[in-house]
Amino acid sequence: MKDRKRAPRLPADERRAVTVQTVLELAAEQNPNEITTSAIAQRMQMTQGALFRHFPTKDAIWQAVAEWVAKRMLARVDEAARTKSPLEAMESVFMAHIETHARHAGVPRIVFGELQRAGDTRTKRIVRAFMGRYVERLQAIIEQGKIRGEIAPGVDTKAAATLFVGMVQGLVVQSLVSGKVGSMRTKAPEVFAIYLRGIRRLP
C-alpha cells in the first residue's frame, strides 16, 4: 500500500497562513461549527499532531482567521486613505470589503457563527476590536471629506460610518440567504451609489 501523500514542510508562519486559507475553504463548503481539526489536517495532508504544533486548540485557529480578516481589511482602509480622495477612498474600501467576502465566503460564515457562541471568546474580542478600529478609520475619512468639501457638513459622522458597515453586512447576509455569494458584487455598486447621494455635498 502506498503511503498517503504528505504536504511539504513549510516555515511556521507560512504553515499558519495555509491553515487559515484551508479553514476558509472548508467554511465556504459547510457549517463552520462542524469543521473539525481532523478535517483541517486531512485537507492539508498532514497529521493532527503536526497541526497542533502550530495551533494548540481549534479556538486558536479561529482566532488566526479573525486576525487575518482584521489585518487585511484595516490595511486596505489605510491604503485607500493615503492614495485617494475621501469619497474615492470610501468607495474603494466598500468594494474591497465586498470582494473579500465574495472571494472568501467562509469569512462571514465563521464570524457570524462565532458571534452566536455564548460567552466572551478571544475571537469575539478580536472581531470587536477590529470593528472599532474599522469604524474609527471610516469616521476619519468622512471628517476629511467634510474638510475637503466632498461630504456635506451636516452629515452625522458616526451614523454615516455605521450605515457604511451596515450596507456591507446587509449585502453579505442577503447573499448567504440566497446561496448566491457572487450576487453581492453585482449589487454593491448601486448600493454604494445610493449611499453616496446621501452624504455627498451638493454643488
Side-chain angles (χ1 to χ4, degrees):
M1 180 181 293
K2 293 181 178 180
D3 292 336
R4 187 179 68 177
K5 184 180 179 182
R6 294 293 177 84
R9 291 184 178 275
L10 296 173
D13 288 346
E14 193 171 341
R15 176 64 70 193
R16 289 174 63 86
V18 171
T19 303
V20 168
Q21 294 305 312
T22 300
V23 171
L24 291 177
E25 291 174 6
L26 289 169
E29 301 167 4
Q30 64 185 88
N31 183 341
N33 293 331
E34 298 174 357
I35 298 174
T36 63
T37 52
S38 176
I40 297 169
Q42 183 175 7
R43 177 67 68 92
M44 296 176 67
Q45 299 181 325
M46 64 192 302
T47 65
Q48 278 186 276
L51 179 62
F52 285 135
R53 282 199 291 272
H54 300 283
F55 297 96
T57 64
K58 182 179 176 180
D59 282 344
I61 298 175
W62 258 233
Q63 292 167 27
V65 172
E67 290 168 349
W68 179 86
V69 175
K71 183 177 180 180
R72 184 184 183 90
M73 290 311 307
L74 291 176
R76 190 68 189 87
V77 175
D78 292 340
E79 178 188 0
R82 287 194 303 268
T83 61
K84 301 177 183 295
S85 72
L87 288 182
E88 289 175 338
M90 294 187 72
E91 181 174 11
S92 178
V93 171
F94 185 79
M95 297 306 174
H97 203 153
I98 292 296
E99 183 61 24
T100 295
H101 287 311
R103 292 182 61 187
H104 304 283
V107 169
R109 289 173 178 270
I110 289 174
V111 172
F112 292 154
E114 184 65 25
L115 293 178
Q116 293 179 53
R117 288 180 59 186
D120 188 22
T121 67
R122 169 64 177 163
T123 304
K124 280 186 180 180
R125 292 195 293 273
I126 292 171
V127 173
R128 283 202 302 269
F130 157 66
M131 289 304 301
R133 292 193 296 270
Y134 188 76
V135 170
E136 286 176 359
R137 283 165 167 78
L138 289 175
Q139 291 177 352
I141 294 173
I142 292 168
E143 285 298 314
Q144 185 62 26
K146 292 181 181 181
I147 293 172
R148 297 181 59 171
E150 295 184 8
I151 295 176
V155 168
D156 185 308
T157 299
K158 290 184 179 180
T162 299
L163 180 57
F164 183 102
V165 174
M167 291 190 303
V168 173
Q169 294 173 336
L171 286 172
V172 171
V173 170
Q174 288 179 41
S175 72
L176 292 177
V177 171
S178 69
K180 300 177 181 178
V181 176
S183 65
M184 68 179 86
R185 285 193 183 104
T186 58
K187 295 178 180 178
E190 180 54 32
V191 169
F192 187 80
I194 294 172
Y195 176 77
L196 192 60
R197 288 197 289 271
I199 66 170
R200 174 180 279 165
R201 182 173 184 173
L202 298 176

